[in-house]
Amino acid sequence: DKAVEFLREKGLAGAAKKAGRIAAEGIVMTKMAADEKTAVVVEVNAETDFVAKNEKFQNYVADVAEQALASSAADMDAFMAEKWAKDESLTVAEALSSQISIIGENMKIRRYEKMTATNGFVASYIHAGGKIGVLVDVETDVVNDEIREMAKNVAMQAAALKPLYTNRDEVDADYIEKEKEILTVAAKNEKPDANDKIISGMVMGRINKELKEICLLDQVYVKAEDGKQSVSQYVAQVAKANNAKVAIKKFVRFETGEGLEKKEENFAD
């Protein structure tokens, strides 16, 4: 017991020394429940891409994903205070500290998000070995290979084209109003002699163009044969072919290190 205590203390001390270092590399991983109705996406950071590709680190992230899938913690603090399922003598935070000592870099369990599908299933997709992870809540009364493939394609779309919203209903009305104000001023500057109807048409045209870029279901489907079909039209097409009622309820997209300061390497020093 003394030895375990000593190692734990060493682990925590080692972690404290490394805590100031920037950890903006790492991987995103998903974990699915057996019934495919609940899934989780997690992001765990390390300092270097080299460690992110290390098998030990990846196995640890898989354990974190498993823990998060089973967790009922309300926030990250509560999650970090939970007993670590792989060794209940440790908390999640202590297990992380011990991994920091073993792997030798600062690491951080940055975030996780759980998704539950009430009528249907959750689809998941991992891009570029853990660079991006996506979950999609698919509401459907038919679950077969075609519907699953459609759901995976929608998840790949979200990974590739980085939408901010699932559909227009999620876009804040205040944001639309603000955009209208800005675009109205710009349109009037462009065409000072135009009447209100023309200006309004220009503004709505530009807002619709923007919404087609930021709303997943409005985006042009990346595999569209005609280069025009939207994601929602693609979903409807597959639903019709399978005599199914299908709705994409929401998606979650994690990209490793997004919004984090990256470590600058200066090889001249």
Side-chain angles (χ1 to χ4, degrees), residues 155-222:
M156 286 168 73
Q157 172 95 16
L161 268 76
K162 213 172 179 174
L164 303 176
Y165 306 97
T166 311
N167 55 50
R168 294 181 183 216
D169 296 341
E170 288 181 1
V171 183
D172 187 26
D174 291 344
Y175 170 80
I176 299 279
E177 282 310 307
K178 189 75 187 153
E179 281 297 289
K180 276 185 187 170
E181 283 173 29
I182 294 165
L183 292 170
T184 300
V185 172
K188 282 179 177 172
N189 285 338
E190 269 178 55
K191 295 199 171 177
D193 301 330
N195 63 33
D196 287 350
K197 192 177 175 186
I198 291 171
I199 295 294
S200 175
M202 287 170 69
V203 168
M204 287 318 296
R206 285 171 189 180
I207 283 177
N208 279 326
K209 185 175 182 290
E210 188 179 337
L211 290 174
K212 280 182 180 177
E213 289 169 3
I214 64 173
C215 298
L216 173 63
L217 293 174
D218 280 327
Q219 287 180 341
V220 173
Y221 175 46
V222 286

Side-chain angles (χ1 to χ4, degrees), residues 132-150:
I132 299 166
V134 176
L135 298 178
V136 180
D137 178 354
V138 185
E139 185 176 273
T140 178
D141 56 353
V142 174
V143 179
N144 61 21
D145 289 348
E146 285 85 1
I147 300 286
R148 285 178 201 278
E149 187 188 358
M150 174 274 294

Side-chain angles (χ1 to χ4, degrees), residues 31 38 40 64-73 79 82 85 114:
K31 178 76 182 170
T38 305
V40 71
V64 172
E66 194 135 344
Q67 177 96 17
L69 185 65
S71 175
S72 54
F79 178 69
E82 277 183 354
K114 204 187 278 197

